[in-house]
Amino acid sequence: MGTDMANNSYSGVKNSMAETNHEGDFGCSLKELCNLMELRGTEGLHKIEESYGGVQGLCTRLKSSPVEGLSGHPSDIEKRKAAFGQNFIPPKKPKTFLQLVWEALQDVTLIILEVAAIVSLGLSFYKPPGADREHCGKGAGGVEDENESEAGWIEGAAILLSVICVVLVTAFNDWSKEKQFRGLQSRIEQEQKFSVVRGGQVIQIPVTEIVVGDIAQIKYGDLLPADGILIQGNDLKIDESSLTGESDHVKKTLDKDLMLLSGTHVMEGSGKMVVSAVGVNSQTGIIFTLLGAGEDDDDDDEEKEEKKKEKEKKKEKKSKLFAGCLLNKKQDGSVENRKKAKAQDGAAMEMQPLKSEEGGDAEEKRKANLPKKEKSVLQGKLTKLAVQIGKAGLVMSAITVIILVVLFVVDTFWIQGLPWVKSCTPIYIQFFVKFFIIGVTVLVVAVPEGLPLAVTISLAYSVKKMMKDNNLVRHLDACETMGNATAICSDKTGTLTMNRMTVVQVYVADKHYKKVPEPELIPATIMDLLILGIGVNCAYTTKIMPPEKEGGLPRQVGNKTECALLGFALDLKRDYQAIRNEIPEEKLYKVYTFNSVRKSMSTVLKNADGSFRMFSKGASEILLKKCCKILTANGEPKLFRPRDREDMVKKVIEPMASEGLRTICLAYRDFPPSEGEPDWENENEILTSLTCVCVVGIEDPVRPEVPDAIRKCQRAGITVRMVTGDNINTARAIATKCGILQPGDDFLCLEGKEFNRRIRNEKGEIEQERIDKIWPKLRVLARSSPTDKHTLVKGIIDSTVAEQRQVVAVTGDGTNDGPALKKADVGFAMGIAGTDVAKEASDIILTDDNFSSIVKAVMWGRNVYDSISKFLQFQLTVNVVAVIVAFTGACITQDSPLKAVQMLWVNLIMDTFASLALATEPPTESLLLRKPYGRNKPLISRTMMKNILGHAVYQLTIIFTLLFAGEQIFDIDSGRNTPLNAPPSEHYTIVFNTFVMMQLFNEINARKIHGERNVFDGIFNNIIFCSIVLGTFIIQIVIVQFGGKPFSCVGLSIDQWLWCIFLGMGCLLWGQLISSIPTSRLKFLKTAGHGTQKEEIPDEELEDMDGLDEIDHAERELRRGQILWFRGLNRIQTQMDVVSAFQSGTSFQGAVRRQPSSTSQQHDVTHVSSPAHVALTATLLSPASLTPVSIQKSFDT
């Protein structure tokens, strides 16, 4: 298998010549290493011993040293890249512009328009042979000029042209969206760095620069970037579930299992590995290649899967490869792959093997594909709204066409009493096509195509700007969900505090020092123990570096609590580095690394006489319970009884904690040689009867900008809760400093244990109603474990106590925060202190680890929401007016006052540009003065409804006045009742122009949606808005003055122009009038665009939903219709087959055979099921919404 894979792999193709040359330089080939990494556990161990003489031998062959690493010389690195490939998996090719154009063309409304335009074009060229047009009725005659009738083709051509425009704009938008995403993606990837040893120095290099032979340092929280073999490890445990589906953590030791695989997570411990495979040759890379991530076409995936299954059957390897990791990692930029659902269900999917037997596969798939995560709130509301509007538009357009046809037929054949003459047929057809085009135009105007565009632009713009505010958004919808957040559960360390820890108080040698004591005051024996303990019992990756700038603070690298201890050693004028040089990491006998269960770290040294000494450090209230002695002022240990411990807690620890200090106890234990070697695996026995050396109080100052940010959150209706591992007094002190707790509030501060006691029943099960009693008042959860954090987040999200579902944001930095980050509606990971695992699980990465950036995210989220509401308010006013005008006009004057091309201009350009203009409004602080919108708050509030209807009334009044009395007012010829290909009239041009002017000024009104008076407020902060309004105005002048026949326009005089502009400006004045009417009085106004609740989906429909990743309500509506209609169709077909089968006497087989063949209709269905106005942004709809399976199922039922 390995050989096949290595040959398939990317680098195999790259340059076989170069490979043969370079592989000679190293003692093992790419193929050998690939085969080696296929083995697991002891198999691998034996193979390394046999073939290479152990890990040391392998390093020698790879020309690398376990201590010094690679030389880091550029020529050597290049050689390695040529021989073993680069650490880079080529992403999937992006869709080409033409593919995107093709996708945009699939839009149903556009297809209808294209057909209509082509028919219209064809008919305009058809001249009936010598027919006298007069006898075909009034409408057909009266064409004065031959040339004019020649110009009949222009309308068709113009419609086609505008369709092309729409398609290009849509495609371009999709393309730029994709490009932006890839940019974002590559930025996330570039930021990933890893520690390797080169030339004896530990340096951080980008993950892509890692080469085979590098010595990489791995530690708790890392995501392994390449395959490797363990050289040295302390208590190393790896989560390999992403590759093998084993949920238990795998212990890695030099004598049992030393294979480390890329894409797995380090859950505990630390160590070093020599890199043995990178990029497409690593285990993850091989699976990627199999799944065709490097391919350009998805269709190959299935074949590859098949091949892979066959290979698996042949090899029957113990290790199964799982596709699970891909679900978590397939980070090609395309938006679809970033669906939160994937991230959410990574865990569930990881557990699904690619079954070697086809047997239970379908069943598994069905379970996995039940609806995963509710769609983002906004998208749910928009989809529903778009469907409603679409339906209304369809009805209106159908009625329009019917009325037009009926009126024409009645008028021609009834009132004028003409017979249907064969030679007149083309002319009549031309009329019917014209009516059809008018109907389609009404539909086009009714459907807000601009909506998906507005959402996309708004989100993409926000995401780009949020980068500047230190928010790196990984999932687009997180941006908008953040605007609805009602609760934030924040970590303390690093988010609310500066994460620059310093020791400020010490209790040592029976004395409590309020500041770091002078070295002379500490007895020499204690001092030596203290410095030795700090030196060896802090991770060797943690160190204090000289400041970057002169006079700056020293840089803290690694774990900040350990940095504080190392800093303490330096304050005592001692050098911890000397101790580390004397006892390098390899000489440490055993290390118990820090984890969330132990809450302590211990290191064992073996002395020359065979005795052992263990140093421990950890949370003081936990370690002091394990101490039975304490060092006194003369440096001698004395008994430390529980009573002494209580005294110490009262007199030392609580005072320190109440000042917001974190207390750490340092202790040691000697194991005399007489007792023999202890059982190191029995931790409880080892970690007892310690001797306490000292207790230190570590200060982590609150970030100066945090109290203000928290005040803003509270004012905006967002509850901030602090969840921390610190003790409760420290937590309470910091929470008070931050303003989470105000003096005199009756809020709860609980410890993890107490919290668990209160939320569990007698059987120890968590009960939602018990959580509901606690969370509304809870503000601080101290000494909490990662599971407590997850429980709290889940409890708040599932709670039904509040009138609306809580939307919870969570911050986290540790590996153990992963579950809580995934469970939360929005997970924030720390960009600086965060582990790779936390970043993987998160939606937004805070690049500066700062709480105040979260407030910025809230502001942007609310801004997205408002931008879309602004756009909706503008768009719906246009729609209501245009539809009513087209409809009434068509019914009364038999012709739409606004021509198809004009409608398209209004619809396409005004929509696209307006969505750009309104979606790019920058956020203001005032957004933080209101409470969050709930999940069920309608998109279109009462105030907006008032604005929409109010402006529609004004615009309709003006337009109808112009339409039916315009010729008298302006003293021009009437444009009503013109014959088929008549030249454009001034009258209708004025109507069109005024309509556009009113839209332009209404765009300014739409900038405010909460009934504010000053619509110009901050208008010049948005350059895009100003330039778009101006640009649209200039283009409108060009269209009217020079648009001529295609746009059915005639040049207007200055006078007429001024009137049009004046009538347009009336919108602004009218807007003031509308905002004076109190909304509360208008009880009859309905809101629109409510969210969809989860419960609304009946079970039997869930079964139809096999192929769907996410439930899309619009799609459900459509599919329900399609399935019914296909069922009907299928039944008729089957019946006909049966009948014909019996008639012809052939077998019944034919009829039955039809069943499967109907799946070939799948392709048609797919297109029907996603018209663009329903497919709100590419993210929402899975193109394969109707799989053959689901159609088949519906037929069988």
Side-chain angles (χ1 to χ4, degrees), residues 30 33-34 37 84 87 212-213 225-228 262 274-279 281-283:
L30 176 65
L33 287 175
C34 275
M37 292 319 290
F84 302 109
N87 195 19
V212 171
D227 291 354
S262 59
V274 55
V275 175
S276 59
V278 292
N281 305 312
S282 66
Q283 290 300 303

Side-chain angles (χ1 to χ4, degrees), residues 546-709:
E548 284 175 349
K549 295 196 276 295
E550 276 299 306
L553 292 165
R555 280 184 300 149
Q556 298 188 337
V557 181
N559 181 310
K560 298 294 192 261
T561 313
E562 295 184 335
C563 285
L565 293 171
L566 295 176
F568 175 50
L570 296 175
D571 289 343
L572 293 173
K573 314 273 188 294
R574 300 291 284 270
D575 180 16
Y576 66 86
Q577 197 52 52
I579 290 171
R580 290 185 169 184
N581 297 343
E582 195 182 311
I583 309 174
E585 203 169 356
E586 293 74 49
K587 287 202 184 155
L588 302 179
Y589 191 76
K590 171 111 183 102
V591 179
Y592 297 95
T593 51
F594 182 88
N595 66 21
S596 53
V597 182
R598 285 190 194 120
K599 289 215 188 293
S600 67
M601 171 175 176
S602 310
T603 302
V604 182
L605 299 177
K606 187 170 185 177
N607 302 330
D609 61 356
S611 66
F612 296 95
R613 172 169 281 179
M614 175 178 81
F615 289 101
S616 298
K617 67 171 193 299
S620 53
E621 56 263 54
I622 292 173
L623 266 199
L624 283 176
K625 286 185 185 150
K626 314 257 172 93
C627 290
C628 64
K629 295 188 184 133
I630 186 165
L631 295 179
T632 55
N634 58 6
E636 293 301 315
K638 69 161 189 182
L639 268 182
F640 185 59
R641 295 183 297 274
R643 196 175 63 245
D644 303 331
R645 186 172 66 235
E646 280 159 26
D647 276 356
M648 185 153 169
V649 167
K650 276 204 187 66
K651 291 190 179 134
V652 179
I653 291 174
E654 282 181 2
M656 280 187 187
S658 62
E659 292 175 40
L661 303 184
R662 173 184 250 181
T663 55
I664 300 282
C665 170
L666 302 172
Y668 76 101
R669 176 181 177 184
D670 283 326
F671 297 95
S674 55
E675 291 175 13
E677 184 163 344
D679 171 14
W680 299 114
E681 292 308 308
N682 187 350
E683 269 183 56
N684 294 340
E685 282 300 307
I686 301 282
L687 206 61
T688 48
S689 48
L690 305 174
T691 307
C692 171
V693 180
C694 74
V695 172
V696 293
I698 296 180
E699 181 186 43
D700 184 7
V702 172
R703 285 175 182 264
E705 62 278 0
V706 163
D708 186 42

Side-chain angles (χ1 to χ4, degrees), residues 141-216:
V143 177
E144 304 83 38
D145 191 353
E146 254 319 287
N147 297 346
E148 284 299 347
S149 64
E150 294 296 306
W153 61 272
I154 290 183
E155 186 166 35
I159 293 179
L160 279 181
L161 193 72
S162 46
V163 166
I164 291 169
C165 279
V166 176
V167 168
L168 289 178
V169 168
T170 319
F172 178 73
N173 266 304
D174 286 345
W175 179 77
S176 57
K177 183 170 71 185
E178 177 115 338
K179 191 162 146 252
Q180 245 179 352
F181 231 94
R182 290 199 174 248
L184 190 71
Q185 212 27 55
S186 63
R187 201 183 135 170
I188 292 178
E189 278 157 16
Q190 277 159 13
E191 289 197 343
Q192 265 192 317
K193 288 202 156 72
F194 213 78
S195 303
V196 296
V197 181
R198 284 193 183 169
Q201 290 293 317
V202 179
I203 55 169
Q204 295 256 324
I205 58 169
V207 168
T208 46
E209 290 298 310
I210 293 177
V211 290
V212 171
D214 256 325
I215 305 295

Side-chain angles (χ1 to χ4, degrees), residues 877 880-881 942-957 1002 1067 1070-1071 1073-1075 1077 1082 1085:
T877 315
V880 170
V881 175
R942 275 231 178 100
T943 313
M944 287 167 60
M945 209 47 139
K946 176 183 76 176
N947 292 344
I948 291 172
L949 297 177
H951 284 294
V953 168
Y954 171 78
Q955 296 188 10
L956 285 170
T957 318
N1002 195 30
C1067 275
W1070 185 255
L1073 186 70
I1074 294 177
S1075 54
I1077 306 169
L1082 308 171
L1085 286 181

Side-chain angles (χ1 to χ4, degrees), residues 227-338:
D227 291 354
I229 289 162
L230 191 65
I231 303 178
Q232 174 252 322
N234 306 323
D235 200 14
L236 196 62
K237 287 191 185 155
I238 307 264
D239 171 13
E240 293 189 347
S241 59
S242 58
L243 275 178
T244 62
E246 272 304 318
S247 53
D248 296 339
H249 298 166
V250 186
K251 254 191 126 145
K252 299 286 178 183
T253 51
L254 290 171
D255 50 356
K256 287 206 182 65
D257 181 358
L258 33 77
M259 299 307 205
L260 298 169
L261 305 176
S262 59
T264 56
H265 291 138
V266 183
M267 298 313 271
E268 265 183 49
S270 60
K272 281 186 187 168
M273 69 171 190
V274 55
V275 175
S276 59
V278 292
V280 281
N281 305 312
S282 66
Q283 290 300 303
T284 311
I286 290 170
I287 299 186
F288 263 98
T289 322
L290 278 175
L291 279 174
E295 294 292 325
D296 49 356
D297 208 51
D298 288 347
D299 304 340
D300 305 353
D301 287 7
E302 274 119 62
E303 297 158 38
K304 289 215 172 76
E305 293 272 323
E306 292 302 325
K307 280 185 198 155
K308 178 161 174 223
K309 282 181 184 162
E310 282 163 44
K311 279 186 188 168
E312 295 231 323
K313 278 181 194 159
K314 281 181 206 154
K315 283 278 181 174
E316 285 290 278
K317 274 263 161 34
K318 283 191 188 110
S319 62
K320 281 188 197 153
L321 293 177
F322 280 54
C325 69
L326 302 169
L327 295 177
N328 276 351
K329 287 231 205 36
K330 196 165 181 180
Q331 296 182 342
D332 18 338
S334 65
V335 184
E336 289 90 328
N337 289 356
R338 304 308 298 247

Side-chain angles (χ1 to χ4, degrees), residues 981-1025:
N981 288 322
S985 64
E986 273 184 89
H987 182 189
Y988 272 16
T989 306
I990 289 178
V991 173
F992 166 59
N993 199 17
T994 310
F995 178 65
V996 173
M997 287 302 123
M998 289 196 290
Q999 298 329 320
L1000 264 184
F1001 285 102
N1002 195 30
E1003 203 166 320
I1004 298 174
N1005 272 328
R1007 290 184 67 242
K1008 301 288 176 218
I1009 48 174
H1010 300 299
E1012 295 93 330
R1013 284 247 173 231
N1014 181 7
V1015 287
F1016 291 102
D1017 179 32
I1019 193 165
F1020 295 115
N1021 297 345
N1022 190 354
I1023 310 295
I1024 303 183
F1025 184 86

